[in-house]
Amino acid sequence: MYKRLSIVFVFFVLSVSIKAITLNAELFDYNEEKVAAEFSELNLLESMLIENPDLSLSDIAFRFPQYAYLLEDKEVLPFGNTQVAAPGNIPSFWWAFSFSFVGSYFIYGAVAGPIAVAIVYFNTDKNKPETKKAIYGCLTGTVLGLGIRYVVSNL
Amino acid sequence: MQLKLFLFFLSVIFFQTSFKLGAQDFYRFKADYTIKINNPTGKPTMKMGTVFYDKNFKKIVIKNGFPVKENIVQSDTSTYFIRAGRVVKHISNRLPVEFSIFHLALNGNLANYGLDKAGYILEDVKRDKGLVIASWTPASNNLQGKILIATKNKELYSIIFLDKNEEIISKHIFHKYTNIKGLGFPTEIVRIYYNSGKELYELSTYRNIKINETGNDEYYNYQIPE
């Protein structure tokens, strides 16, 4: 019995190790034509802006209405970096604030604030500035939640 | 005999001095850039501007020109969006400045993406179809999954980030290397992000690259407004 279990265990370990990704050149393949096609309509505007860097946005919108949508203000974090925040990209302060505010109003839910802070801590790979924002949010929410509860109960 | 010895030492000193003069210290990077990002549910977007980086100050300073005039400053893992001299938004990002292509290129660590100094251990190396492929595994559980790096002719060709289940999170491909003052830098980078079966593309191109520029100090050491 013990021997059989050992064999099963060895097979299990082997199957886990077999799952490891195989190193080969195909892994690095991608569809170059598809990527180029995605951006082909922007090439004309790019060349025009390189040649005329002072072209105003209204000029672009007037002369090339097909690009007007580009002039919308969109925040982009460039060069391959990505933002870290609370789940759903909710600002960490407001995430912890909401939980602690609602939680502390109902007293028994007061633990919700610290849990929200812990979620931010782990969701952002232990990012200190984001955790700090969450702690401030938690404190503010708790004070406000308890304050409102006190006022309401003494009316 | 003494003359021969003297000439020998003289030639050694001359060789060492000329080698030191030849070996450049790269510390500043500046380039005009264009970034195009597709949107699986809509039309692609584009940003253009100039990027400044000085490895001593460790701040990536982006002077955006299109479509919005703003400065974006990344310092450590914080990014500040500055308009009209005011911080209008402050966010945290996953990768510190030391993991940026600018810092790695200036320090000569682009070929292995600086992983040897970032808590990763070289696990396996293979050659296939002209690529040297290296698999790096995180030394601790705090880091995300493995990273695969492919080099071609000793230049970084591609990097793949995997999650803990060895699924591809993103793939970055580095094209069209240029050589400025002895510093090799890819002028075209394709980044592909995989999310819920969808692919998001980011195409960055660099032009007018300047290395070790003098001047523009206010950008290289940009002071973030209080």
Side-chain angles (χ1 to χ4, degrees):
Chain A
M1 180 64 183
Y2 177 75
K3 211 171 182 179
R4 278 186 187 171
L5 273 174
S6 305
I7 291 166
V8 170
F9 178 73
V10 168
F11 268 105
F12 174 75
V13 170
L14 279 175
S15 64
V16 168
S17 56
I18 285 166
K19 197 194 161 205
I21 204 158
T22 314
L23 298 185
N24 59 52
E26 280 74 34
L27 277 173
F28 298 89
D29 286 346
Y30 75 102
N31 192 336
E32 273 186 69
E33 285 172 10
K34 195 179 171 192
V35 174
E38 283 283 343
F39 300 122
S40 60
E41 62 184 278
L42 295 175
N43 292 343
L44 173 67
L45 179 65
E46 183 190 11
S47 325
M48 198 172 63
L49 283 166
I50 289 171
E51 284 169 25
N52 311 288
D54 295 325
L55 209 61
S56 72
L57 297 183
S58 50
D59 273 347
I60 296 167
F62 179 72
R63 287 165 60 185
F64 302 95
Q66 71 270 33
Y67 293 131
Y69 78 94
L70 276 173
L71 311 180
E72 287 170 27
D73 187 7
K74 284 180 185 163
E75 278 164 355
V76 173
L77 196 55
F79 309 128
N81 220 329
T82 47
Q83 182 181 356
V84 287
N89 263 356
I90 297 167
S92 303
F93 178 91
W94 292 111
W95 165 269
F97 174 86
S98 315
F99 277 89
S100 58
F101 175 73
V102 176
S104 56
Y105 183 82
F106 295 105
I107 296 288
Y108 295 113
V111 74
I115 290 173
V117 173
I119 290 172
V120 170
Y121 180 69
F122 289 109
N123 198 59
T124 62
D125 286 343
K126 302 173 185 173
N127 185 288
K128 282 179 189 169
E130 285 304 307
T131 309
K132 211 170 159 182
K133 285 181 204 171
I135 291 170
Y136 287 148
C138 175
L139 293 173
T140 315
T142 305
V143 169
L144 212 63
L146 289 174
I148 290 175
R149 186 185 166 81
Y150 177 79
V151 170
V152 169
S153 59
N154 286 287
L155 276 178
Chain B
M1 182 64 185
Q2 274 187 336
L3 183 69
K4 274 186 182 171
L5 264 175
F6 174 73
L7 285 172
F8 172 73
F9 282 118
L10 197 69
S11 62
V12 167
I13 290 165
F14 174 76
F15 181 75
Q16 281 187 335
T17 313
S18 58
F19 179 77
K20 274 180 187 170
L21 285 173
Q24 280 268 14
D25 176 31
F26 303 116
Y27 63 99
R28 275 187 174 182
F29 177 94
K30 178 192 166 192
D32 294 332
Y33 71 85
T34 302
I35 295 174
K36 296 168 187 164
I37 300 170
N38 83 329
N39 179 354
T41 55
K43 291 181 172 182
T45 58
M46 185 171 82
K47 293 247 173 186
M48 292 175 78
T50 306
V51 58
F52 301 84
Y53 185 73
D54 185 318
K55 70 178 185 183
N56 300 305
F57 301 124
K58 293 186 182 172
K59 291 175 191 171
I60 298 171
V61 181
I62 301 161
K63 188 183 167 191
N64 243 348
F66 176 86
V68 179
K69 285 189 172 32
E70 65 180 351
N71 294 329
I72 303 170
V73 183
Q74 191 196 333
S75 176
D76 193 21
T77 54
S78 289
T79 298
Y80 303 85
F81 293 79
I82 300 153
R83 292 183 188 173
R86 263 175 15 97
V87 176
V88 292
K89 194 174 183 185
H90 169 216
I91 60 170
S92 299
N93 31 263
R94 200 165 292 281
L95 298 174
V97 168
E98 286 83 350
F99 244 113
S100 73
I101 188 171
F102 314 113
H103 188 84
L104 294 168
L106 290 174
N107 285 293
N109 294 327
L110 196 54
N112 67 8
Y113 221 73
L115 294 181
D116 53 338
K117 297 178 183 80
Y120 283 83
I121 299 164
L122 184 61
E123 184 188 52
D124 194 9
V125 181
K126 274 190 181 170
R127 281 180 184 274
D128 189 24
K129 295 174 185 166
L131 296 180
V132 177
I133 304 164
S135 167
W136 293 78
T137 190
S140 76
N141 284 332
N142 291 340
L143 296 164
Q144 288 196 325
K146 286 182 185 177
I147 297 177
L148 310 179
I149 289 187
T151 50
K152 192 191 263 183
N153 302 324
K154 294 183 181 173
E155 282 175 340
L156 177 64
Y157 168 71
S158 181
I159 181 162
I160 293 177
F161 292 89
L162 304 171
D163 65 14
K164 285 181 177 169
N165 298 318
E166 302 213 340
E167 297 290 333
I168 298 178
I169 303 170
S170 66
K171 189 185 285 187
H172 306 196
I173 304 101
F174 304 81
H175 287 300
K176 299 181 184 171
Y177 275 80
T178 186
N179 192 304
I180 305 118
K181 296 181 179 179
L183 179 81
F185 192 85
T187 58
E188 186 178 290
I189 301 168
V190 178
R191 293 187 171 94
I192 305 168
Y193 300 93
Y194 301 88
N195 190 7
S196 312
K198 286 180 181 167
E199 292 184 1
L200 182 74
Y201 304 130
E202 182 187 304
L203 174 66
S204 312
T205 47
Y206 299 91
R207 54 195 178 279
N208 303 326
I209 297 173
K210 285 185 182 166
I211 301 296
N212 292 356
E213 183 195 41
T214 49
N216 277 322
D217 293 352
E218 70 277 19
Y219 282 104
Y220 289 107
N221 188 18
Y222 194 96
Q223 297 303 309
I224 297 157
E226 289 297 323

